[in-house]
Amino acid sequence: MCWCGSTEVYQDVMNHEAFQTLEAFETALKNNLALIPPSMIYAYASLKMGIPFANGSPNLNVDIPALVELSIKNSTPIGGKDFKTGQTLMKTIIAPGLKARMLGLEGWFSSNILGNRDGEVLDDPDSFRSKEVTKGSVLESILQDDLYPDLYGNYYHKIRIEYYPPRGDAKEGWDNIDIQGWLGQKMQLKINFLCRDSILAAPVVLDLVLFLDLAQRAGMRGVQEWLSFYFKSPQCRPDLKPVNSLFDQDDKLRNTLRIIMGEKVIDHSGLDYYENKG
Amino acid sequence: MCWCGSTEVYQDVMNHEAFQTLEAFETALKNNLALIPPSMIYAYASLKMGIPFANGSPNLNVDIPALVELSIKNSTPIGGKDFKTGQTLMKTIIAPGLKARMLGLEGWFSSNILGNRDGEVLDDPDSFRSKEVTKGSVLESILQDDLYPDLYGNYYHKIRIEYYPPRGDAKEGWDNIDIQGWLGQKMQLKINFLCRDSILAAPVVLDLVLFLDLAQRAGMRGVQEWLSFYFKSPQCRPDLKPVNSLFDQDDKLRNTLRIIMGEKVIDHSGLDYYENKG
Amino acid sequence: MCWCGSTEVYQDVMNHEAFQTLEAFETALKNNLALIPPSMIYAYASLKMGIPFANGSPNLNVDIPALVELSIKNSTPIGGKDFKTGQTLMKTIIAPGLKARMLGLEGWFSSNILGNRDGEVLDDPDSFRSKEVTKGSVLESILQDDLYPDLYGNYYHKIRIEYYPPRGDAKEGWDNIDIQGWLGQKMQLKINFLCRDSILAAPVVLDLVLFLDLAQRAGMRGVQEWLSFYFKSPQCRPDLKPVNSLFDQDDKLRNTLRIIMGEKVIDHSGLDYYENKG
Amino acid sequence: MCWCGSTEVYQDVMNHEAFQTLEAFETALKNNLALIPPSMIYAYASLKMGIPFANGSPNLNVDIPALVELSIKNSTPIGGKDFKTGQTLMKTIIAPGLKARMLGLEGWFSSNILGNRDGEVLDDPDSFRSKEVTKGSVLESILQDDLYPDLYGNYYHKIRIEYYPPRGDAKEGWDNIDIQGWLGQKMQLKINFLCRDSILAAPVVLDLVLFLDLAQRAGMRGVQEWLSFYFKSPQCRPDLKPVNSLFDQDDKLRNTLRIIMGEKVIDHSGLDYYENKG
């Protein structure tokens, strides 16, 4: 099952006791706890029946301890959250490139215009807050500001989503990126992405359905972190940071598949290149 | 030694016999063969003295069999060609991202405006031809059109460099990328990069000087393909294709350094993630 | 005197009785009516002393019947409101061009990023509301949707101002304009303006000071509608619509000056062209 | 008749004797002078039959003394040359705005990408030369560098047209405009116009057909300079400069029509505004 519904209102419930264990969650369900959003009920039903579940929206959904517990108990792989399709896809392509070249970041301003119901829903500040959370954290794990405070310790990241009916089912992102090179010299990068949300999301849905089915057949369960490639805010173990770079995610996806197939992983190490030479 | 001179006139001399062996090249040098460009004479002097050499321009320079032979004979590491700094840097960041998501490519139009002597030199069609060659081939090894002919078998790639004095020492790239998603739906990506050539090139020079010195101390010689990260058109073995994706180049650079240090390479394989869990 | 302070909180007080007559206003001043904003007190002082006054901010300021009455009584020319410098300047340049060619308008989305205190103030929704009002109405008088409902009867106009500290004292506008040509074919125009607010505003201040002094010497008083050229939301007679097209404003400015000088106005009529021919 | 064919090869024949008088031209026609391009023969046939003629291409066409002579002799109105539809339309909208505000110009770089046969023809340097001439001169009459040498005496104007098949029947312009404000502070304006040539040109054809017919019925003949509104490089009397500002052209078009109708011209003079007040 793959959740593709609109964004739900943001709720900071991660620490609420009803979501910490499966037992507490099932009790809360029976008591009709109002805090439980609709998408979470669908997710529960899916996992209860042993059907793998992917969360394409920024809602918490399966991203609570109770449902991770159920997914492990029922040997049901899960993945989430929020399909990575437009502006955030580009962000996790470009940020690793700037980082690789150690170009400092002063600011990243992202504006989006959307015309359909998705945009209308996100015009509501409470719904936008859910999106802001999944979209806002992608730079941190890529830039490693703890290792490079001079370059990435103080950038300003602002994201806007604007309902704009003339755009219809299409979507448009505009990014302005302020970077710094040697001697503190300032440079700017502007990205204008004229795209279509459903066209970018549909293959993500298909890939996830196929890979979650494969995972279940291969005996994998719980959070499928190797499918982070498809998500804005990859669900991961509480003691780890998510990987956001599209290229690290791509390496992980492909090398995990190679391991499942019993093939050697690819690491691009270069010395064999010279050994072959002899 | 690191060559940072302006672009020389394009010459299709790869098959000329004077460039095939060190012996023939030295004879041609003595006979003042007019075909030998100035930068090649500097490169020869450098290698003859056992000094590692990096080629920051699109000139052939050390990219001929005769000088590769000399670099191996004298245990002198070499690298080239053409520093990857502005528009091509962005191209090898974005193209791997589009490829990872299997977005088809219909066309890529790249225009550059430059204001200083570099731009003036490239306004000459013969000099531009050198640049067009190093800039033009970067997409092929990334997109693998032989494996994905439907997606990448028929794209139109056009590059323009325009002398525009008001831009001064700064440089500006404008890219229009026409892509296709599911159902043949068309999307567009526009990149406007307001950058500064020397600011982006200077750290490349420093890195190359340090790494080529390291390579020589580590007993490495000939083409240092693991330094492809820094070049638009990486010099490589005649029987191999160059790697152009900035991220594959980055993996190769870092993992090669790890091997030299005796450390384990990083491959982002994911199963250990779940094993740790237990 | 020229008011260049930051934007005050929006107040819909146009119909409040204290602002309708000079007498009521002076009574309210004495009673310290809290609704009277600081800028209005400066304006009153200026007009009371017979000093011409220009309002460079979106505050109401002199745009109330009481102060118009005082400006006429004291023979003191006034003008406002909100200097036209960046994105709105471009909007009143481009919209008349689209209108001249009868290109239909589906939507106009304008985003601004500002880094200094002006941006910080406008990040406050109540202050932004003042700006939204002066910026939002400029298209109406240009496009004449009453005459051309098919072309301009249903466009979507959205304006955003975003505080973005990395931009510093500079300012950046991004406009997306969705237009329609024959057969309903859609086209898009994108404008990215990298500008500097104070550099664009300073000559406006100087021109206004000189022209208001000229007006006073020429015996003109009250609202100087011929200076609309400098304002986002030109103050005008209650029974008239403001002129917003930069080119109509420019014609009016120049022809008014010609009339004051006793010169013939310029109307670009063309038949004399052919008469001269003979 | 309205010429909408592709651009012909540039020929600098304005001073060739065969084009100076109708008699010389008719002799040259009979002798099959190779210099006479196809479009000129169509134009001659049209004028000979008393049919008004508009030239939508950058070819000389009716822009030679011989055919102007014929148009006057046969009382046949003519107009040209080169429909103003995309990038040049925008240029003659924006340049008058910059000029009105006395913003200095350092450079204007214009790049175009076109996908259909029009683009293919203009990829030929000889054909492009025709276009470069009509597109290149539009700024001069607008900016009046003779009056304002400090602001407009030394700008760099470069225009490129690139054949890019993926664009198909659509067309895209990218303009970078480097301007200067007070204290020599530099600012930039970027325009990206995603448009459709035929959709913008078709109403121009219809307007011209109707207005040339009106002109002929109204007894007007020769060059109809009041229709400059529709042309990139308006044909005009040899002793006059063409008007390129879209807004001056629009005023001229409308006021000429008002004069033909016997109506008062509009001059936006402002003093009546104050007189009404009293």
Side-chain angles (χ1 to χ4, degrees):
Chain A
M1 191 184 291
C2 192
W3 178 266
C4 304
S6 280
T7 302
E8 292 171 337
V9 167
Y10 179 73
Q11 289 177 312
D12 189 5
V13 298
M14 284 302 281
N15 298 317
H16 190 287
E17 61 181 46
F19 302 95
Q20 304 309 314
T21 64
L22 181 55
E23 194 184 344
F25 185 74
E26 291 186 330
T27 305
L29 266 182
K30 279 174 199 143
N31 296 335
N32 284 322
L33 179 70
L35 269 179
I36 300 177
S39 72
M40 215 176 259
I41 302 173
Y42 280 91
Y44 172 79
S46 175
L47 299 184
K48 195 72 181 174
M49 296 172 70
I51 298 169
F53 189 91
N55 173 19
S57 81
N59 313 326
L60 282 182
N61 211 304
V62 289
D63 198 1
I64 56 169
L67 291 183
V68 173
E69 184 187 333
L70 177 57
S71 77
I72 292 170
K73 184 179 158 195
N74 274 10
S75 294
T76 316
I78 57 175
K81 58 184 184 288
D82 209 0
F83 293 147
K84 183 154 78 171
T85 51
Q87 190 173 51
T88 303
L89 173 65
M90 287 310 303
K91 199 172 273 179
T92 63
I93 288 171
I94 287 163
L98 302 177
K99 166 70 181 327
R101 281 296 175 96
M102 288 287 141
L103 293 163
L105 182 67
E106 275 196 285
W108 195 309
F109 176 75
S110 299
S111 188
N112 276 280
I113 49 182
L114 283 92
N116 58 16
R117 190 159 164 74
D118 252 26
E120 203 172 353
V121 166
L122 291 168
D123 224 34
D124 171 63
D126 291 331
S127 296
F128 173 65
R129 181 66 193 137
S130 295
K131 203 77 176 181
E132 199 175 21
V133 167
T134 60
K135 288 175 81 96
S137 60
V138 302
L139 292 177
E140 287 161 37
S141 76
I142 295 172
L143 299 178
Q144 298 181 288
D145 60 281
D146 48 334
L147 291 180
Y148 308 100
D150 288 349
L151 297 174
Y152 306 115
N154 196 28
Y155 61 87
Y156 191 91
H157 188 195
K158 191 169 193 175
I159 300 159
R160 283 285 166 264
I161 299 181
E162 308 285 354
Y163 178 49
Y164 177 72
R167 194 49 77 248
D169 276 327
K171 160 166 111 160
E172 180 169 354
W174 182 69
D175 283 80
N176 169 74
I177 312 166
D178 286 283
I179 58 180
Q180 270 202 357
W182 269 28
L183 308 175
Q185 288 292 307
K186 299 182 179 200
M187 297 175 280
Q188 295 181 21
L189 187 59
K190 322 271 182 190
I191 316 258
N192 185 208
F193 193 11
L194 300 154
C195 59
R196 293 165 183 274
D197 209 26
S198 303
I199 296 302
L200 290 164
V204 168
V205 174
L206 181 60
D207 279 14
L208 282 170
V209 166
L210 294 172
F211 283 142
L212 284 173
D213 180 60
L214 172 72
Q216 194 171 39
R217 290 167 193 264
M220 297 161 85
R221 56 188 185 163
V223 179
Q224 300 302 301
E225 195 261 0
W226 62 287
L227 298 175
S228 298
F229 180 70
Y230 300 103
F231 297 110
K232 276 196 195 73
S233 178
Q235 198 169 336
C236 66
R237 268 166 44 197
D239 58 322
L240 292 178
K241 278 193 178 178
V243 171
N244 287 105
S245 157
L246 188 79
F247 306 101
D248 291 349
Q249 292 171 336
D250 194 37
D251 283 350
K252 190 181 289 270
L253 172 67
R254 290 170 190 276
N255 278 338
T256 299
L257 288 170
R258 283 191 188 90
I259 290 170
I260 294 176
M261 293 167 73
E263 272 197 22
K264 238 184 104 177
V265 300
I266 289 182
D267 61 22
H268 296 286
S269 62
L271 285 187
D272 53 333
Y273 176 89
Y274 305 97
E275 288 153 11
N276 293 348
K277 181 76 178 184
Chain B
M1 191 185 289
C2 192
W3 179 266
C4 304
S6 280
T7 302
E8 292 171 336
V9 167
Y10 179 73
Q11 289 177 313
D12 189 6
V13 298
M14 285 301 282
N15 298 318
H16 189 287
E17 63 180 44
F19 301 95
Q20 304 310 313
T21 65
L22 180 57
E23 195 184 345
F25 184 74
E26 291 186 331
T27 304
L29 266 182
K30 279 175 198 143
N31 295 336
N32 284 322
L33 179 69
L35 268 178
I36 301 177
S39 73
M40 216 178 257
I41 301 173
Y42 280 91
Y44 172 79
S46 175
L47 300 183
K48 194 72 181 176
M49 295 173 71
I51 298 170
F53 190 92
N55 173 21
S57 80
N59 312 326
L60 281 182
N61 212 304
V62 289
D63 197 2
I64 57 169
L67 291 182
V68 173
E69 184 186 334
L70 178 57
S71 76
I72 292 169
K73 186 179 156 197
N74 274 9
S75 294
T76 315
I78 58 175
K81 60 187 186 286
D82 209 359
F83 294 148
K84 181 153 79 173
T85 51
Q87 190 174 51
T88 304
L89 173 64
M90 288 309 304
K91 199 173 274 180
T92 64
I93 287 171
I94 288 164
L98 302 177
K99 167 72 182 324
R101 280 296 173 97
M102 289 287 140
L103 293 163
L105 183 66
E106 275 196 286
W108 196 308
F109 176 74
S110 299
S111 188
N112 277 278
I113 52 183
L114 284 90
N116 59 16
R117 191 160 163 75
D118 253 27
E120 202 173 354
V121 166
L122 290 168
D123 224 34
D124 171 64
D126 290 332
S127 296
F128 173 64
R129 180 67 192 137
S130 295
K131 204 77 177 181
E132 198 176 21
V133 166
T134 60
K135 287 174 83 97
S137 59
V138 302
L139 292 178
E140 287 161 36
S141 77
I142 294 172
L143 298 178
Q144 299 181 288
D145 59 281
D146 47 333
L147 291 181
Y148 307 100
D150 287 349
L151 298 174
Y152 306 115
N154 195 29
Y155 62 86
Y156 191 90
H157 188 196
K158 190 170 194 176
I159 300 157
R160 282 285 166 265
I161 299 181
E162 308 285 354
Y163 179 50
Y164 176 71
R167 194 47 78 245
D169 276 328
K171 162 166 110 159
E172 180 170 353
W174 183 69
D175 282 81
N176 168 74
I177 312 166
D178 287 284
I179 57 179
Q180 270 202 356
W182 268 30
L183 308 175
Q185 287 293 308
K186 298 181 179 202
M187 296 175 281
Q188 295 181 21
L189 187 57
K190 323 271 182 189
I191 316 260
N192 185 209
F193 193 10
L194 299 154
C195 59
R196 293 164 184 274
D197 209 25
S198 304
I199 295 302
L200 290 164
V204 168
V205 174
L206 181 60
D207 278 13
L208 283 169
V209 166
L210 295 172
F211 283 142
L212 284 172
D213 181 59
L214 172 72
Q216 195 171 39
R217 290 168 192 263
M220 297 161 87
R221 56 188 186 165
V223 178
Q224 299 302 301
E225 195 260 1
W226 62 288
L227 298 175
S228 299
F229 180 71
Y230 300 103
F231 297 109
K232 277 194 193 75
S233 178
Q235 200 170 334
C236 66
R237 270 168 42 197
D239 58 322
L240 292 178
K241 276 193 180 178
V243 171
N244 287 104
S245 158
L246 188 79
F247 306 100
D248 290 349
Q249 292 171 337
D250 194 36
D251 283 349
K252 190 181 289 270
L253 172 67
R254 291 169 189 275
N255 277 339
T256 299
L257 288 170
R258 283 191 187 92
I259 290 170
I260 294 175
M261 293 167 74
E263 272 197 21
K264 238 183 107 178
V265 300
I266 288 182
D267 60 23
H268 296 285
S269 63
L271 285 187
D272 53 334
Y273 176 90
Y274 306 97
E275 288 152 13
N276 292 348
K277 181 75 179 182
Chain C
M1 190 184 293
C2 191
W3 179 265
C4 304
S6 281
T7 303
E8 292 171 336
V9 168
Y10 179 74
Q11 289 177 313
D12 189 6
V13 298
M14 285 302 281
N15 299 318
H16 190 288
E17 63 182 45
F19 303 95
Q20 304 310 314
T21 64
L22 180 56
E23 194 183 347
F25 184 75
E26 291 185 331
T27 304
L29 265 182
K30 278 173 200 146
N31 296 335
N32 285 321
L33 179 69
L35 268 179
I36 301 177
S39 72
M40 215 176 257
I41 302 173
Y42 280 91
Y44 172 80
S46 175
L47 300 184
K48 196 74 182 172
M49 296 173 69
I51 299 170
F53 190 91
N55 173 20
S57 81
N59 312 327
L60 282 182
N61 211 307
V62 288
D63 198 1
I64 55 169
L67 291 182
V68 173
E69 184 186 334
L70 177 57
S71 76
I72 292 169
K73 184 179 158 198
N74 274 9
S75 294
T76 316
I78 58 175
K81 59 186 186 289
D82 208 0
F83 293 148
K84 182 153 78 170
T85 53
Q87 190 174 52
T88 304
L89 173 64
M90 287 310 304
K91 199 172 275 178
T92 62
I93 287 171
I94 288 165
L98 302 177
K99 166 70 182 328
R101 281 296 174 96
M102 289 287 141
L103 292 163
L105 183 66
E106 275 195 287
W108 196 310
F109 175 75
S110 299
S111 187
N112 276 280
I113 52 184
L114 284 92
N116 59 15
R117 193 163 161 73
D118 253 27
E120 204 173 352
V121 166
L122 290 169
D123 224 34
D124 171 64
D126 290 332
S127 295
F128 174 65
R129 181 66 194 138
S130 295
K131 203 77 177 180
E132 199 175 20
V133 167
T134 59
K135 287 175 82 97
S137 59
V138 301
L139 292 178
E140 287 161 38
S141 76
I142 294 172
L143 298 178
Q144 299 180 288
D145 59 280
D146 48 333
L147 291 181
Y148 307 100
D150 288 348
L151 297 174
Y152 306 114
N154 196 29
Y155 60 87
Y156 191 90
H157 188 197
K158 190 169 194 176
I159 300 159
R160 282 286 165 263
I161 299 181
E162 308 284 353
Y163 178 49
Y164 176 72
R167 194 49 77 246
D169 276 328
K171 161 165 110 160
E172 180 169 353
W174 183 69
D175 282 80
N176 169 75
I177 312 164
D178 287 283
I179 56 179
Q180 271 202 357
W182 268 30
L183 308 175
Q185 288 292 307
K186 298 181 178 200
M187 296 175 281
Q188 295 181 20
L189 187 58
K190 323 272 183 189
I191 316 259
N192 185 207
F193 193 10
L194 300 154
C195 60
R196 293 165 183 274
D197 207 26
S198 303
I199 296 301
L200 290 164
V204 168
V205 175
L206 181 59
D207 279 15
L208 282 170
V209 166
L210 294 172
F211 284 142
L212 284 172
D213 180 62
L214 172 72
Q216 195 171 38
R217 290 167 192 264
M220 297 160 85
R221 56 187 184 165
V223 179
Q224 300 301 302
E225 195 260 0
W226 62 287
L227 298 176
S228 298
F229 180 70
Y230 300 103
F231 298 110
K232 278 195 194 72
S233 177
Q235 200 171 334
C236 64
R237 268 169 41 199
D239 58 322
L240 292 178
K241 277 193 180 179
V243 170
N244 287 104
S245 158
L246 188 79
F247 305 100
D248 291 349
Q249 292 171 337
D250 193 37
D251 283 350
K252 187 179 292 269
L253 173 66
R254 292 169 189 275
N255 278 339
T256 300
L257 288 170
R258 283 190 187 92
I259 290 170
I260 294 175
M261 293 167 72
E263 273 197 20
K264 234 184 110 178
V265 301
I266 289 183
D267 60 23
H268 296 285
S269 63
L271 285 187
D272 54 336
Y273 177 90
Y274 306 97
E275 289 154 10
N276 293 348
K277 179 75 177 184
Chain D
M1 190 183 293
C2 192
W3 179 265
C4 303
S6 281
T7 303
E8 292 171 336
V9 167
Y10 179 73
Q11 288 177 314
D12 189 6
V13 298
M14 285 302 283
N15 298 318
H16 190 289
E17 62 182 46
F19 302 94
Q20 304 311 314
T21 64
L22 180 56
E23 192 183 349
F25 184 75
E26 290 185 329
T27 306
L29 266 182
K30 278 173 199 143
N31 296 334
N32 284 322
L33 180 69
L35 268 179
I36 300 177
S39 72
M40 216 177 259
I41 302 173
Y42 280 90
Y44 172 79
S46 174
L47 301 184
K48 195 71 182 175
M49 295 172 70
I51 299 170
F53 189 92
N55 173 20
S57 81
N59 313 325
L60 283 182
N61 210 306
V62 290
D63 197 0
I64 56 170
L67 291 183
V68 173
E69 183 186 335
L70 177 57
S71 76
I72 292 169
K73 186 180 156 195
N74 274 10
S75 294
T76 315
I78 58 175
K81 59 184 186 286
D82 210 359
F83 293 148
K84 182 153 78 171
T85 52
Q87 190 173 52
T88 304
L89 173 64
M90 288 309 304
K91 199 172 275 178
T92 63
I93 287 171
I94 287 165
L98 303 177
K99 167 71 181 327
R101 281 296 175 97
M102 288 287 143
L103 292 163
L105 183 66
E106 275 197 285
W108 196 310
F109 176 75
S110 299
S111 187
N112 277 279
I113 51 182
L114 284 91
N116 58 15
R117 194 163 160 73
D118 252 26
E120 203 174 354
V121 166
L122 290 168
D123 223 34
D124 171 64
D126 290 333
S127 296
F128 173 64
R129 181 67 193 138
S130 296
K131 203 77 177 181
E132 200 175 20
V133 166
T134 59
K135 286 176 83 99
S137 59
V138 301
L139 293 177
E140 288 161 37
S141 76
I142 294 172
L143 299 178
Q144 298 181 288
D145 59 280
D146 48 333
L147 290 181
Y148 308 101
D150 289 348
L151 298 174
Y152 306 115
N154 196 28
Y155 62 86
Y156 191 90
H157 188 197
K158 190 170 193 174
I159 299 158
R160 282 286 165 265
I161 299 181
E162 308 285 354
Y163 178 49
Y164 176 72
R167 196 47 78 244
D169 276 328
K171 160 165 111 159
E172 180 169 353
W174 183 68
D175 283 81
N176 168 75
I177 312 166
D178 287 283
I179 57 179
Q180 271 202 357
W182 268 30
L183 308 175
Q185 288 293 307
K186 298 180 179 202
M187 295 175 281
Q188 295 181 19
L189 187 58
K190 323 273 182 188
I191 316 258
N192 184 208
F193 193 11
L194 299 154
C195 59
R196 294 167 182 273
D197 209 25
S198 303
I199 296 301
L200 291 164
V204 169
V205 174
L206 180 60
D207 279 14
L208 283 170
V209 166
L210 295 172
F211 284 142
L212 284 172
D213 180 61
L214 171 71
Q216 195 171 39
R217 290 167 193 264
M220 297 161 85
R221 57 189 184 161
V223 179
Q224 300 302 302
E225 196 261 1
W226 62 288
L227 298 176
S228 298
F229 180 70
Y230 300 103
F231 298 110
K232 278 197 193 72
S233 178
Q235 198 169 335
C236 65
R237 268 166 45 196
D239 58 323
L240 292 178
K241 278 194 179 177
V243 171
N244 286 104
S245 158
L246 189 79
F247 305 100
D248 290 349
Q249 292 171 338
D250 193 36
D251 283 350
K252 188 180 291 270
L253 172 67
R254 291 171 189 274
N255 277 338
T256 300
L257 288 170
R258 284 191 187 90
I259 291 171
I260 294 175
M261 291 167 74
E263 272 198 21
K264 234 182 107 178
V265 300
I266 289 182
D267 60 22
H268 296 286
S269 64
L271 285 187
D272 53 334
Y273 176 90
Y274 306 97
E275 289 153 11
N276 293 347
K277 179 75 178 184

